C-alpha cells in the first residue's frame, strides 16, 4: 500500500521514476536510489483504475514481482509491509517480524497433489545474523486475499504455524521462486489476529505506527545487507 511505501521513499531518499521502470498497462509505481553502495528499487502495485484504491492481494503482488524481476534483475527481493500478528506467537502491535517461510491459507483445493499446491508452503532465505543484529521476531507468514478470515482459513494458518497473516507475501514468493531470486520479508504488526477486536479497526488505528516501525527497520536492514553475501545474512 502507498501508506506503507511512501514513508520508506522519504527515509531512503528515493525518487519516483518517471516513467515507471515497469511499463504500462501494469499500474506499478517505482522509486529508485542508492544507499550504502547498493541500488534500491521500491515497487508498489499502484492504484486500481476502477475503484481508486491500492491494488492489494496476492494476484497484484505476484504480477508486480514478476514484472519487477524481469525489469530490474535484483539480487534480492524484500517484501516489506504491514500485517496481522498472532499473540500466541509473541506478536504485539508495532513488532517487526522477519519471515522464516511462506504459505497460503485460502487456496483450498481438496484434490490429490493440488491440496499441497494450494498451500504452496516454501521457506524464506535464512537471515539469522540480520535478525540478531536488528532484534527482530521471526515466524511463518501466511497470505490470503481477505482482511478477515473464516474457520477454514484459521485451521490452515494454525497448520502452517503462522505468526503473521497478510495479503501479499505468498504471491511474491511464487514469483521470486520462478526466477530463482532469494526472498526475505519484513512485516510490521498492525492488528492481533487471535485478539478480540475486528482487524479493520486495529489496522486503521495502528497503520501509521506500523509504517513508522518499518521506516525505522528497513534502512538499517539494507545497511546490514550491503556488502555481504547471502550466506552472511
Amino acid at each position: 500500500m502507498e501508506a506503507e511505501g511512501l514513508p520508506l521513499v522519504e527515509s531512503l531518499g528515493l525518487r519516483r521514476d518517471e516513467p515507471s521502470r515497469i511499463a504500462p498497462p501494469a499500474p506499478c509505481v517505482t522509486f529508485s536510489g542508492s544507499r550504502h553502495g547498493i541500488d534500491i528499487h521500491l515497487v508498489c502495485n499502484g492504484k486500481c483504475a476502477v475503484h481508486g484504491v491500492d491494488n492489494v492481494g496476492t494476484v497484484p503482488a505476484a504480477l508486480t514481482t514478476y514484472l519487477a524481476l524481469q525489469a530490474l534483475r535484483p539480487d534480492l527481493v524484500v517484501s516489506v509491509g504491514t500485517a496481522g500478528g498472532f499473540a500466541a506467537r509473541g506478536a504485539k502491535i508495532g513488532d517487526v517480524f522477519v519471515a522464516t517461510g511462506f504459505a497460503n491459507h485460502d487456496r483450498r483445493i481438496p484434490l490429490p497433489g493440488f491440496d499441497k499446491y494450494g498451500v504452496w508452503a516454501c521457506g524464506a532465505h535464512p537471515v539469522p545474523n540480520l535478525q540478531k543484529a536488528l532484534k527482530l521476531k521471526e515466524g511463518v507468514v501466511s497470505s490470503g486475499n481477505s482482511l478477515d478470515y473464516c474457520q477454514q482459513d484459521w485451521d490452515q494458518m494454525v497448520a502452517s504455524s503462522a505468526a503473521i497473516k497478510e495479503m501479499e507475501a505468498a504471491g511474491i514468493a511464487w514469483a521470486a521462486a520462478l526466477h530463482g531470486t532469494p526472498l526475505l520479508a519484513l512485516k510490521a504488526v498492525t492488528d492481533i489476529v487471535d485478539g478480540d477486536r475486528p482487524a479493520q479497526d486495529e489496522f486503521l488505528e495502528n497503520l501509521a505506527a506500523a509504517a513508522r516501525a518499518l521506516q525505522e527497520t528497513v534502512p538499517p536492514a539494507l545497511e546490514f545487507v550491503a556488502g555481504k553475501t547471502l550466506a552472511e545474512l
Side-chain angles (χ1 to χ4, degrees), residues 71-124:
L72 303 171
R73 303 292 181 185
D75 297 315
L76 177 69
V77 173
V78 185
S79 173
V80 176
T82 61
F86 285 80
R89 298 284 176 182
K92 298 179 181 178
I93 301 296
D95 283 345
V96 178
F97 276 71
V98 61
T100 56
F102 307 100
N104 292 280
H105 57 255
D106 65 350
R107 301 203 316 179
R108 293 178 287 277
I109 314 172
L111 297 171
F114 286 90
D115 50 355
K116 292 182 179 179
Y117 163 80
V119 176
W120 209 81
C122 67

Side-chain angles (χ1 to χ4, degrees), residues 212-225:
R212 284 194 299 273
L214 290 173
Q215 198 173 18
E216 294 169 359
T217 302
V218 173
L222 294 176
E223 182 177 3
F224 185 89
V225 167

